[in-house]
Amino acid sequence: MAHWAYVHHDSVVGKERISVSIKVAAGEAADDWAAATRGALAADLGAEAADALLGRLLPVVPAGYDELNWPNSAAIDLPIVGRLAQGDGLHVATAMMHFEEAAEHQWRFRVYHRGSAVPISDLLPLLDHLGFRAIDERAFHFALEAPVWVHDVGVELPEGIELTPEASAEVQAAFVAEFTNTVEVDGLNRLVLLAGLDARQVEVLRAYSRYLRQIGFPFSQQYIEATLARHATIGAQLVALFTAKFSPAGDMPDTAAVDALRQDLLAALDAVPSLDDDRTLRALLALVDATLRTNAFRPGPNAGHRDVLAFKFDPSKVPDLPLPRPMYEIWVCSPRVEGVHLRNGRIARGGLRWSDRREDFRTEILGLVKAQIVKNAVIVPTGAKGGFVVKRPPSNPDEFRAEGVACYREFIAGLLDLTDNIVGDEVVPPPHTVRYDDD
């Protein structure tokens, strides 16, 4: 007698997300694989579309694919394979499947890629940084007009995590963002699974943690990542506080709601047993408190967001900031570029520098702004200085210069995102931006 299984499927194709659940027959019920696959496809796509798709793909189904994949799994794979082969600007997609006979924490993560196969050494770190433990992998090659590879990876979820459809969609979107280099690949991406965040919210925590490195915070980036993973709930609380303060939903944030979130966060911090973890998490909270403006909620072309994150700080509220403290500071961070601008007064002038000191370029800029203050003593009241680093420098000299120019443009765009404009006689603030400072 046939047994039944529920296959849950969330796929991300480009920027489109698809989420369906299919009730399928397994085992000896699928005696005729092609006929059973057609039935599963027809239930979802309609008979005519199913016939057209199978007529195109059945001749190129890889050897052994029908033995290792139930018809219901093929009904998930084949439409995605067909779309990727057609192009339309799409080259990667994902799906997650869970079968009734598998343990609750064991899933199949599928990566569909147009072109060449994805090396396993490239694939597994992306999954590992999302918190998955890869168990096995098998690959299938569909020799279509544009070749498509299906990588089927068995993964285990972190202990205590239940994967909801919403969480599945977010973790797949985060994988695609990692794969396409639109987010950085590091241990903070585990917070998508562990804390229920999306990739953009993780980027906010990453930008703050990168700033800590620049101001001489004693713990490494890896330790900060591990701390947030150990205290994922506090990571989510930090993001909730940041969102409540800076989301431009109304005229101004609900101060009572912001205060309540902050008190809940402080109570959670009081319960952290490790002093080093406590110091790390409170340092991140201090940066949220010190933030005056951000472009995090301004719309842009990168999945609806700006290409860079920018934060304007009140340096007087940043603990342990190296002296002298500027009056204002803007921090810009993205997978491609990091930069800082220090201004010592409301009226100031100074240049910008393309730095090659990735680990401590703020120290370099701080030294330059001190010299600029002295030079400006007889010109304008005080000095300013800024600088940026190229995070993915190409080896080719011409490409290196072009990348430097592109990163400079992104850095300047991040600074301007937080800057008021003057139209006629009126000061016009940047749109979608909550301000905690003057014009």
Side-chain angles (χ1 to χ4, degrees):
M1 180 178 295
H3 67 278
W4 292 90
Y6 283 95
V7 177
H8 180 75
H9 158 53
D10 288 295
S11 75
V12 179
V13 184
K15 294 181 181 179
E16 177 182 350
R17 296 183 184 180
I18 309 162
S19 180
V20 297
S21 294
I22 310 171
K23 188 178 182 181
V24 298
E28 63 270 31
D31 295 327
D32 186 335
W33 186 89
T37 300
R38 181 196 179 279
L41 284 169
D44 191 31
L45 305 177
E48 185 176 347
D51 289 339
L53 183 64
L54 282 178
R56 179 170 155 234
L57 297 187
L58 272 181
V60 297
V61 168
Y65 176 86
D66 55 342
E67 298 174 4
L68 294 172
N69 291 275
W70 292 347
N72 60 282
S73 300
I76 293 170
D77 289 340
L78 297 183
I80 300 175
V81 169
R83 289 187 62 187
L84 288 178
Q86 288 175 338
D88 298 329
L90 305 175
H91 70 280
V92 63
T94 63
M96 288 194 72
M97 308 178 190
H98 183 263
F99 297 92
E100 189 177 63
E101 66 272 19
E104 186 65 28
H105 66 294
Q106 293 179 340
W107 288 66
R108 308 301 302 184
F109 195 105
R110 297 204 174 184
V111 180
Y112 310 84
H113 187 244
R114 178 164 56 90
S116 59
V118 181
I120 193 70
S121 59
D122 293 345
L123 187 63
L124 296 189
L126 303 183
L127 294 169
D128 179 69
H129 281 105
L130 288 168
F132 292 115
R133 180 170 177 243
I135 304 302
D136 62 82
E137 188 265 353
R138 55 199 184 198
F140 306 99
H141 177 218
F142 288 79
L144 291 157
E145 56 270 27
V148 176
W149 286 82
V150 179
H151 295 273
D152 178 27
V153 186
V155 296
E156 290 184 350
L157 302 181
E159 185 177 355
I161 296 297
E162 293 185 8
L163 197 64
T164 64
E166 294 77 17
S168 174
E170 290 298 345
V171 77
Q172 290 180 74
F175 175 89
V176 172
E178 286 184 334
F179 189 88
T180 56
N181 292 319
T182 55
V183 301
E184 294 187 62
V185 180
D186 62 22
L188 287 176
N189 291 330
R190 286 176 288 177
L191 295 174
V192 176
L193 268 179
L194 297 177
L197 303 178
D198 61 35
R200 182 63 169 183
Q201 292 169 325
V202 173
E203 281 190 292
V204 170
L205 294 176
R206 179 178 294 115
Y208 280 132
S209 70
R210 294 288 195 269
Y211 180 74
L212 287 178
R213 179 178 64 183
Q214 290 297 325
I215 63 174
F217 190 69
F219 302 134
S220 69
Q221 190 68 38
Q222 290 71 28
Y223 186 85
I224 296 173
E225 294 169 9
T227 299
L228 283 167
R230 284 191 293 271
H231 305 282
T233 300
I234 292 178
Q237 288 178 292
L238 284 166
V239 171
L241 177 63
F242 175 84
T243 302
K245 284 189 65 176
F246 293 104
S247 178
D251 294 335
M252 280 298 289
D254 184 341
T255 55
V258 170
D259 290 343
L261 287 169
R262 196 174 188 283
Q263 291 305 312
D264 289 344
L265 181 51
L266 290 173
L269 289 171
D270 288 340
V272 172
S274 165
L275 290 177
D276 287 347
D277 286 4
D278 178 85
R279 182 178 179 182
T280 300
L281 296 168
R282 288 183 190 273
L284 292 168
L285 172 59
L287 292 183
V288 176
D289 289 340
T291 304
L292 299 174
R293 305 182 182 197
T294 179
N295 70 342
F297 297 96
R298 291 191 63 176
N302 181 12
H305 303 295
R306 315 297 273 185
D307 289 328
V308 299
L309 277 169
F311 305 84
K312 183 180 181 182
F313 294 125
D314 177 354
S316 68
K317 296 181 179 179
V318 179
D320 302 320
L321 193 67
L323 299 176
R325 294 173 183 263
M327 179 178 283
Y328 298 110
E329 181 164 350
I330 294 179
W331 169 248
V332 175
C333 185
S334 82
R336 195 175 185 184
V337 62
E338 288 178 10
V340 69
H341 189 267
L342 311 180
R343 183 156 55 94
N344 204 50
R346 293 182 61 84
I347 301 174
R349 70 182 291 274
L352 302 175
R353 181 179 184 84
W354 177 355
S355 175
D356 59 1
R357 291 170 54 173
R358 179 169 175 177
E359 294 295 321
D360 68 340
F361 65 87
R362 187 189 182 276
T363 301
E364 177 186 22
I365 303 305
L366 182 62
L368 292 172
V369 79
K370 287 191 287 186
Q372 191 73 40
I373 292 169
V374 176
K375 289 169 59 178
N376 283 11
V378 296
I379 306 172
V380 293
T382 190
K385 209 72 176 181
F388 69 97
V389 290
V390 177
K391 297 171 70 172
R392 297 172 179 170
S395 57
N396 179 281
D398 292 335
E399 294 177 358
F400 179 73
R401 173 177 168 79
E403 179 66 8
V405 171
C407 288
Y408 172 77
R409 291 179 183 273
E410 286 197 359
F411 173 51
I412 294 295
L415 299 180
L416 292 177
D417 271 351
L418 303 186
T419 305
D420 299 324
N421 199 3
I422 298 177
V423 179
D425 295 328
E426 294 186 6
V427 174
V428 179
H432 308 285
T433 303
V434 176
R435 302 183 300 162
Y436 288 90
D437 59 345
D438 297 329
D439 293 338

